[in-house]
Every structure is written in C-alpha cells, then in structure tokens.
Amino acid sequence: SLEDVETEVATAVYPNPTSGIVYFDNQLTNVAVYDVAGRRVYAQTAAEQSLDLSSLNAGTYLLVAQLNGENIITKVMITK
C-alpha cells in the first residue's frame, strides 16, 4: 500500500552495503540488530540517526527499530 511505501522511504538506511557506519533519514528508537541465526548483536533504546556496526563480521543482518511507534525492519549488509 502507499502507506507502506511512505514508511520505507522515510526510513532509508545508507550506505547499504556498509563497511561500518549506517545512517538513517529519521531518528529511530529501540534499535536492535540481529544476525542470520536470530541472535541480537546490537541494541540501543535511545534515539539514533546513525549506527557504528564496524565491530560486526561481514554478512547480512536484520535491523529492527521503531519510528513514530511503527516497527521498521530492514536488511543491512556489512562488507569488510
């Protein structure tokens, strides 16, 4: 739906793939990052507009966060 598209556009994560730091178009809260096995490898409750993921191994991760009370889920690829 159009509402879903607006939410995705409003929460762009870049650069993706990244070698470490990712930025968001909006401040996200309750940010968590999970590896492909479902383990939480990063968590932050405070509002964030960027994350430093350089300590993580190369691979694909799921970033889960909230924007205005809505849950946001997006894939982030880390390259080394």
Side-chain angles (χ1 to χ4, degrees):
S1 73
L2 181 57
E3 194 173 304
D4 293 337
V5 172
E6 287 177 347
T7 300
E8 278 192 34
V9 171
T11 56
V13 176
Y14 57 93
N16 193 6
T18 182
S19 58
I21 298 178
V22 292
Y23 300 92
F24 315 122
D25 281 350
N26 293 290
Q27 288 212 338
L28 303 180
T29 57
N30 297 322
V31 177
V33 178
Y34 297 88
D35 65 14
V36 291
R39 291 182 296 252
R40 188 171 64 190
V41 294
Y42 179 92
Q44 173 64 264
T45 56
E48 294 284 343
Q49 202 148 0
S50 67
L51 286 183
D52 183 354
L53 302 176
S54 60
S55 63
L56 300 180
N57 293 327
T60 301
Y61 295 85
L62 274 185
L63 185 147
V64 180
Q66 289 189 324
L67 174 63
N68 301 327
E70 296 290 321
N71 286 329
I72 306 298
I73 302 173
T74 189
K75 286 184 184 176
V76 175
M77 184 174 283
I78 298 176
T79 57
K80 296 289 181 177

